[in-house]
Amino acid sequence: MADKKRSVVWCYYSPIDKNTARCQVCDKHVLHSSNTSNLFKHLKCMHPESHSELERRQAAAKAHSPAPPTVRQKTLHESLQKSQSQRAREITLSLAKMIVKDLQPISMVEDQGFRHFMKVVDPRYQIPSRKSMMAGEIPKLYEQTQKTVKDSIQSASSLVLTTDMWTARTTESYLTVCSLAIIHVAVQHTADNIAELLTKITDEWGITNKIHAVVTDSGANMVSAVRKTCWKHIPCFSHTLNLIKCSAIVRFFHHSTRATDKLKEVQNQLNLPQHKLIQAVDTRWNSVLYMIDRLYEQQEAITTALCLLGRNNMCLSGEEWSHIKQAIDVLRPFEEATKEVSAEQYVTVSKVIPLVSLLQQATTSAAQSNSLASQLAAQCKRRFQNIEHNHTLAASTFLDIRFKNIVFCDSTNVEMIKARLITEMQALPCAETPSTRHEAAASTSTATQGSPAECSSSKGLWREFDSRVVAFQSKRTANTDAHIEIRRYMEEKVIPRSEDPLNWWKKNESTFPLLNKVAKKYLGTVATSVPAERLFSKAGEIISQRRNRLKSENLSIDHNKVYINGLYLSCDLS
C-alpha cells in the first residue's frame, strides 16, 4: 500500500482494505484491484473538477522532484463555508439595499421577527449587527451615490435649486436644498440667515458660481434670502396655484364609526364603489378637489345614509350638488396643471406660460355661468398678468421647440426675448461656430484642394480674391452668428408635445452651437419646489417614532437620500 500511495490519486482516497478504497469526495467505495486505474476512472466520471485538479498535480509532480507533498482535499463542510462566505456577502448587500429602498431603521436587524424570518430563509446566515451595518455596506452605498451626484453636478454648466423650510416631528427646523442637502436650522428663519446657509451648502459642493436660479414658495423670507445671494428667484408655480383655492367649500359630511358602517352598507345595496370619503388638507388645495369629487361620486349613498342616521339636516340640496359639480369642473384643469409642473422626469418650466394661458381660457369661458370660475379667472388675471415679462419663464418657453412663439399672447414680448437671448449668446466664451469652422477650412483650402498648378496659381492670380474671402469671414462675429441662429431656430418646425425638447437640442447641437448652450440653461430650470416637499415626506418617515432620539447633527440628506449617523437610508437602486 505504501507504493500505491506514491500516486497523486491517493490524495482523493482513503484505503479500506487491500482491494478497496473510500472516495473522500462522495464516500463511495471503489475497487482498485491493486492498481489505480479504477480510482482515476471514478474521479473522471463522477468528479470532473477533482479529476482536473488531479491532472494538474500530476503535471506538477513530473516537473518537480521530489514529488510535491500531498494536499488534502477540502472537506464538504469547508467547501460549504467558502460558498457561504460569498453568499453571506450577497445577502448583506441585499439587506443594506432593502433598508435603503424601504427607508427602514437600522434597528430592524435586531427585531425578533426579522431574525426569525432570516433563520427560516437561511439558517447558516449570521445577521450583521446594527453597528456593523452602520460601518459596512450602507455607508458604501451612500458614498457611491454621492460621488455619482458630484460628478454629474461638476459636469453641468448651470444649475437650478429648489429649497424650502420644514419642521420635523422633533420640532426642529430644517432647510432642504433639493437634491443636495438637508441641514438643521438652529437660528431664526430670517432672510440673512437662510441666505448664508444656502451659500454654505453650494460652497461645500463647489457650485456657487453655477447657480442659475432658485425655486421657492412665496414665503417672504425665502424670496428675500434668494435675492440676497444675487441668484435669480423663481416663484413655485404650484404654490401660486395653492393660493387660488376655494376656501368657501367646507366639509359637508363628518362620519363616525357608525356612519362609516352605514355608508358601506348603503354603497353595497346601491352597487356603488366602496370608496372611503377623502378628508381635505388645509395646505393642499387639490385635496379639496379630491374630497368634493368623492362626495359627488357617492352623493346617492351619502344622502341615503344620512337620512337613515337621522341627520337630514346635513343632506345637500340639488342646487348644492350642482355647485359641487361646477366646482369639480372648474378645479380639474388646475389639478392637471399642478401635476404637469410637479413632474421630475421631464422639462416643466417651459410649460408654465402655456398652462397659465390655458387656465385663463378655461376659467374665463366658464365664468358666465359659474361664480367660482369667475373668482378663479379674476385671481389668475391678477397673479399671472405679467407672466410673459418674466424672462426666465418666457425664454424657457421660447426655447422649448414644442412651443416657441406660438403660446405668447403679445408678440412684442417675443421680440424682447430674442434680443436678450442674442445678448446672452454674444457674451458666451469664444467657441467654434460655423463661421470659425469655415474660416479654418478657407485658410487650409489651398493646401488640401486642387492640383499643384491651381495651388501655385492661388499664390498669384487668386491671392487678392483669397484675402478678400478671409477678410469677409473675419467679419462674421458672435453677433452675426447669434442673429443667424435665432433666425434658423424660428424656421424650425415645432415637435409633438409628447417628445422631449432636450433630446431635440442634443441632436441639433451642431446646428445651434451658441443657442444650444443658452437653451440647456433655461430648460434645466424646474417650475416648482414640490420635489423638495416630497423629500420632506420621506424625511418624516425617517425622523419617526422609531427614531425619536435622532440628533440633528447626525442628519443630512443628499440627492433625495438620507444619511443618518453615517447611514445611507435611501437611494435609487433601479
Side-chain angles (χ1 to χ4, degrees):
M1 294 296 292
D3 291 339
K4 295 182 180 65
K5 285 190 176 182
R6 292 195 186 105
S7 175
V8 181
V9 74
W10 284 102
C11 296
Y12 301 87
Y13 293 92
S14 299
I16 297 177
D17 53 37
K18 186 176 180 180
N19 297 314
T20 309
R22 179 179 62 83
C23 176
Q24 295 180 0
V25 181
C26 63
D27 288 338
K28 185 175 180 179
H29 291 189
V30 180
L31 292 174
H32 52 78
S33 303
S34 300
N35 63 64
T36 58
S37 299
N38 279 352
L39 302 182
F40 278 95
K41 184 177 179 181
H42 173 77
L43 287 179
K44 184 175 182 179
C45 295
M46 305 304 297
H47 312 294
E49 293 182 359
S50 298
H51 184 265
S52 298
E53 184 180 15
L54 172 61
E55 289 181 331
R56 290 195 297 271
R57 289 183 177 181
Q58 284 183 312
K62 291 179 181 179
H64 299 84
S65 183
T70 301
V71 179
R72 180 178 63 84
Q73 169 71 13
K74 290 183 180 179
T75 65
L76 181 61
H77 177 70
E78 289 172 337
S79 298
L80 285 174
Q81 277 190 326
K82 181 178 180 180
S83 175
Q84 174 64 11
S85 177
Q86 175 63 26
R87 174 65 176 160
R89 285 193 293 269
E90 293 175 355
I91 294 176
T92 301
L93 177 60
S94 179
L95 173 60
K97 290 183 177 181
M98 182 192 71
I99 292 174
V100 165
K101 189 75 173 179
D102 298 339
L103 298 177
Q104 294 293 336
I106 308 299
S107 60
M108 71 169 293
V109 299
E110 300 172 351
D111 292 344
Q112 292 183 2
F114 176 75
R115 300 185 75 86
H116 174 72
F117 171 76
M118 290 305 302
K119 186 176 180 181
V120 174
V121 172
D122 192 337
R124 297 168 297 176
Y125 176 65
Q126 297 295 319
I127 302 175
S129 66
R130 180 177 181 176
K131 183 177 181 180
S132 63
M133 290 294 291
M134 291 173 66
E137 295 296 337
I138 292 181
K140 290 179 183 178
L141 288 175
Y142 170 79
E143 291 168 3
Q144 292 169 4
T145 305
Q146 186 186 49
K147 183 179 184 302
T148 301
V149 175
K150 284 189 174 182
D151 291 344
S152 176
I153 288 177
Q154 293 305 319
S155 64
S157 58
S158 63
L159 298 169
V160 176
L161 303 180
T162 59
T163 183
D164 209 340
M165 300 286 297
W166 63 288
T167 303
R169 295 184 180 181
T170 57
T171 69
E172 293 178 319
S173 297
Y174 293 87
L175 173 69
T176 290
V177 178
C178 185
S179 53
L180 299 183
I182 282 184
I183 60 174
H184 177 231
V185 181
V187 295
Q188 291 185 336
H189 303 171
T190 63
D192 289 332
N193 291 336
I194 295 174
E196 182 179 351
L197 292 172
L198 288 173
T199 306
K200 177 182 177 182
I201 292 173
T202 56
D203 285 344
E204 290 175 352
W205 284 78
I207 58 172
T208 302
N209 296 329
K210 293 186 176 184
I211 303 303
H212 168 58
V214 180
V215 182
T216 75
D217 60 18
S218 300
N221 58 342
M222 297 300 295
V223 175
S224 298
V226 174
R227 290 174 178 169
K228 286 180 179 293
T229 62
C230 296
W231 297 327
K232 186 175 297 183
H233 176 261
I234 305 294
C236 172
F237 184 62
S238 294
H239 279 85
T240 306
L241 287 181
N242 262 337
L243 299 176
I244 312 173
K245 61 185 183 181
C246 185
S247 59
I249 299 177
V250 296
R251 301 180 181 91
F252 294 110
F253 196 86
H254 177 76
H255 59 274
S256 62
T257 304
R258 181 178 171 222
T260 301
D261 293 340
K262 180 59 67 176
L263 180 60
K264 289 181 179 178
E265 179 183 334
V266 175
Q267 286 173 331
N268 187 48
Q269 292 173 353
L270 297 175
N271 293 321
L272 291 173
Q274 292 199 3
H275 293 158
K276 293 182 179 180
L277 300 184
I278 299 173
Q279 188 68 269
V281 180
D282 292 339
T283 57
R284 290 291 178 268
W285 76 266
N286 48 357
S287 67
V288 176
L289 170 62
Y290 302 149
M291 179 186 70
I292 62 176
D293 191 28
R294 182 59 54 81
L295 286 173
Y296 190 78
E297 174 196 89
Q298 299 289 333
Q299 60 174 301
E300 187 176 358
I302 291 171
T303 301
T304 303
L306 288 173
C307 292
L308 294 174
L309 292 167
R311 303 300 298 270
N312 301 54
N313 61 314
M314 293 184 64
C315 292
L316 300 177
S317 64
E319 184 179 0
E320 288 172 325
W321 283 117
S322 177
H323 289 327
I324 287 180
K325 180 62 169 63
Q326 290 179 355
I328 293 172
D329 293 340
V330 172
L331 292 176
R332 187 73 70 193
F334 286 87
E335 180 209 19
E336 184 179 347
T338 302
K339 288 183 177 180
E340 284 275 343
V341 298
S342 300
E344 301 180 45
Q345 302 300 321
Y346 53 81
V347 176
T348 57
V349 68
S350 60
K351 290 186 175 183
V352 173
I353 290 178
L355 286 172
V356 167
S357 177
L358 293 173
L359 288 175
Q360 289 175 332
Q361 293 176 21
T363 53
T364 302
S365 61
Q368 293 182 350
S369 59
N370 191 317
S371 59
L372 176 60
S374 178
Q375 294 178 31
L376 290 176
Q379 290 280 357
C380 285
K381 183 177 180 180
R382 180 175 69 86
R383 295 182 182 278
F384 299 124
Q385 59 182 340
N386 295 319
I387 194 168
E388 289 187 8
H389 295 283
N390 184 315
H391 179 67
T392 299
L393 297 179
S396 301
T397 303
F398 177 78
L399 292 172
D400 190 324
I401 192 62
R402 299 171 298 178
F403 306 126
K404 290 174 54 177
N405 60 329
I406 299 175
V407 297
F408 290 89
C409 298
D410 190 346
S411 59
T412 305
N413 293 330
V414 177
E415 297 304 317
M416 293 175 60
I417 296 166
K418 291 181 184 179
R420 287 191 60 174
L421 291 176
I422 289 174
T423 302
E424 290 186 45
M425 286 189 284
Q426 293 169 353
L428 289 174
C430 293
E432 187 182 17
T433 63
S435 63
T436 58
R437 288 196 297 269
H438 186 83
E439 291 172 25
S443 64
T444 59
S445 61
T446 58
T448 58
Q449 298 178 4
S451 64
E454 291 173 337
C455 294
S456 175
S457 65
S458 68
K459 296 179 181 179
L461 181 62
W462 288 96
R463 179 183 300 171
E464 182 181 354
F465 175 79
D466 290 340
S467 63
R468 286 165 57 189
V469 170
V470 172
F472 176 78
Q473 293 297 340
S474 64
K475 294 179 181 179
R476 283 282 305 277
T477 63
N479 179 41
T480 307
D481 291 330
H483 282 86
I484 291 174
E485 287 192 25
I486 286 289
R487 186 174 68 250
R488 286 178 179 171
Y489 176 70
M490 290 299 297
E491 294 172 353
E492 292 286 337
K493 295 181 179 179
V494 296
I495 64 175
R497 188 168 53 84
S498 59
E499 295 187 15
D500 188 347
L502 294 179
N503 287 337
W504 185 90
W505 279 107
K506 186 176 181 180
K507 294 176 182 177
N508 292 273
E509 182 174 1
S510 59
T511 307
F512 304 97
L514 296 174
L515 192 57
N516 176 73
K517 295 180 180 180
V518 179
K520 286 192 290 188
K521 178 178 71 173
Y522 283 104
L523 294 178
T525 307
V526 292
T528 173
S529 58
V530 167
E533 294 189 358
R534 289 176 180 155
L535 182 57
F536 303 163
S537 300
K538 292 297 183 184
E541 295 177 25
I542 294 163
I543 308 176
S544 62
Q545 294 182 0
R546 295 192 70 179
R547 304 184 182 92
N548 55 12
R549 290 172 292 180
L550 180 65
K551 296 181 180 180
S552 59
E553 59 265 26
N554 293 328
L555 170 65
S556 67
I557 297 186
D558 292 344
H559 192 55
N560 290 351
K561 315 299 187 281
V562 181
Y563 197 54
I564 296 181
N565 283 337
L567 305 183
Y568 184 67
L569 297 183
S570 177
C571 70
D572 184 1
L573 303 177
S574 59

